[in-house]
Amino acid sequence: MTHLTLLLGLLIVAYFSGSQAENAFSQYWEEHIGLPHPPHWLSAKASPLNLHQVKMFMKLMEENELNSHLPLFCKQANIACSTNALMKKTDTTLPPIAKWNSREKVRYDDLPNKTLMPVSNRGGLPFFRESMVKEGGFMPVPDLRDPMSYKSFLPRSLASKIPFSFAQIKELKKLFDVVDESNMDEYIQQTLEICEKSSCVTSAEDLIDFVVEKLEHHLHVWSTESIEGSYENVTIGAMKLIHGNLSVPPVLLCHTLPFLFQVYYCHVLQKIKIYAVDIHARKKVNHAIMACHYDTSTWNPNHISFKLLGFGPGMIEVCHWINENGVVWTKSIG
């Protein structure tokens, strides 16, 4: 009877919750970042759960009953309960999104010796020199889509209770009914492998706190506007250097990793230039973000960028586009 009452309470709260959760996140953003409104892409990833729902799901978790209400939890929290839910529906005019593979993602200083070009980048140039991007010129653009679906972060109070380490992986998989050797099992293992060596955040609040810890206040947030131009030979329009002094405070780059709920992998980058570039695609202009790394000395010699461009670590700068849902944070100067 207790769990039936709890379930009814969750449904009623969900019906009347409105924009309470979104307003709470916007307030947290303004208090810590100091900017009036969070970017739309981040607001979309903030947890839709309100305080009452969080308390009820916390109670189920404490009583080891969350698994019994998993479909409801995943639906209301907007997280993935199956591998199929993790992969989003794509624009049918573009090739299918390639399966996510951590070994093909950009981990510049720790890549396997035989790094292959990501399948998702076929048809475009994933890495290039800064001099190759000029206003009025042409550029074959790779896939700008994020292969992950638009799943939400969990609230920090809930995310902190979810097992998030290799030591607890059996407990995690049991909690979410993840089948051994399934695609989801593989995604979880790959993400935990990255996050145990690097900085990952599992809630929108943690992302904000991490950014403030690394860059403090007075920040700018940059992201590519859309996926327009993917697999096209676009015309380069206006270019604006938005971070170009290699001796000033570092840049923070964050991008998504595949998991049951939203996880971002963030890394601090020194000696990097960031450009805002208008790319004129067939349908419309996309305002894209381009990053150029000027210190490649620690990158793996077999990184695909060197194979494409014909140089080795530390010899050249390497540039790439920031994909959909990736974000660059820079510190305001002056």
Side-chain angles (χ1 to χ4, degrees), residues 13 17 20-21 24 48-57 157:
V13 166
S17 63
Q20 177 186 353
L49 297 177
N50 61 39
L51 185 60
H52 297 290
Q53 290 170 308
V54 171
K55 288 181 177 179
M56 290 182 183
F57 284 125
S157 56

Side-chain angles (χ1 to χ4, degrees), residues 144-145 223-230 279 284-288 322-324:
L144 297 176
R145 294 173 295 179
S223 57
T224 294
E225 184 177 73
S226 72
I227 64 169
E228 294 296 332
S230 296
I279 56 176
K284 58 181 290 189
V285 176
N286 187 4
H287 305 292
I322 300 299
N323 281 25
E324 174 190 23

Side-chain angles (χ1 to χ4, degrees), residues 8-224:
L8 181 60
L10 282 168
L11 294 172
I12 293 174
V13 166
Y15 182 81
F16 289 105
S17 63
S19 59
Q20 177 186 353
E22 182 179 345
N23 291 337
F25 171 69
S26 295
Q27 182 179 350
Y28 193 89
W29 167 272
E30 291 178 19
E31 290 175 352
H32 292 76
I33 297 294
L35 298 175
H37 303 290
H40 67 87
W41 60 266
L42 185 54
S43 295
K45 289 175 178 290
S47 175
L49 297 177
N50 61 39
L51 185 60
H52 297 290
Q53 290 170 308
V54 171
K55 288 181 177 179
M56 290 182 183
F57 284 125
M58 285 281 287
K59 182 176 177 62
L60 288 173
M61 193 178 296
E62 291 168 358
E63 296 177 352
N64 294 320
E65 291 289 341
L66 183 63
N67 183 271
S68 302
H69 302 279
L70 199 57
L72 178 65
F73 175 55
C74 292
K75 181 178 180 180
Q76 293 192 354
N78 188 36
I79 65 174
C81 280
S82 71
T83 300
N84 290 334
L86 189 63
M87 304 305 292
K88 72 181 183 185
K89 294 181 180 179
T90 64
D91 184 344
T92 55
T93 64
L94 294 175
I97 293 180
K99 179 183 174 184
W100 194 94
N101 187 334
S102 68
R103 293 164 184 81
E104 295 176 345
K105 291 297 174 180
V106 180
R107 183 160 169 72
Y108 311 108
D109 56 351
D110 185 24
L111 286 167
N113 289 333
K114 294 183 179 179
T115 303
L116 301 177
M117 183 186 299
V119 178
S120 58
N121 282 325
R122 61 192 171 207
L125 195 59
F127 298 99
F128 44 88
R129 301 290 303 274
E130 184 178 12
S131 60
M132 296 169 67
V133 186
K134 296 180 179 180
E135 187 170 350
F138 298 95
M139 170 67 67
V141 174
D143 196 346
L144 297 176
R145 294 173 295 179
D146 182 354
M148 298 304 101
S149 63
Y150 293 99
K151 294 303 169 187
S152 300
F153 283 111
L154 285 178
R156 177 156 51 191
S157 56
L158 270 176
S160 63
K161 301 295 184 183
I162 302 293
F164 195 73
S165 69
F166 265 113
Q168 299 173 296
I169 194 168
K170 288 185 178 180
E171 183 182 347
L172 171 67
K173 288 164 59 176
K174 181 179 179 181
L175 180 63
F176 287 96
D177 281 337
V178 176
V179 178
D180 289 345
E181 299 183 1
S182 63
N183 286 339
M184 181 64 80
D185 185 16
E186 182 181 349
Y187 293 145
I188 288 172
Q189 291 190 49
Q190 290 176 348
T191 291
L192 292 179
E193 180 182 358
I194 292 173
C195 293
E196 292 207 338
K197 298 177 181 177
S198 309
S199 299
C200 293
V201 293
T202 57
S203 72
E205 299 92 337
D206 282 346
L207 176 60
I208 291 173
D209 289 352
F210 182 81
V211 171
V212 171
E213 176 189 346
K214 296 300 181 182
L215 300 181
E216 299 180 342
H217 301 282
H218 308 293
L219 305 174
H220 286 300
V221 189
W222 311 94
S223 57
T224 294

Side-chain angles (χ1 to χ4, degrees), residues 257-270:
L257 293 177
F259 204 69
L260 297 149
F261 47 88
Q262 188 68 73
V263 173
Y264 262 78
Y265 162 46
C266 297
H267 39 155
V268 177
L269 298 172
Q270 306 281 351

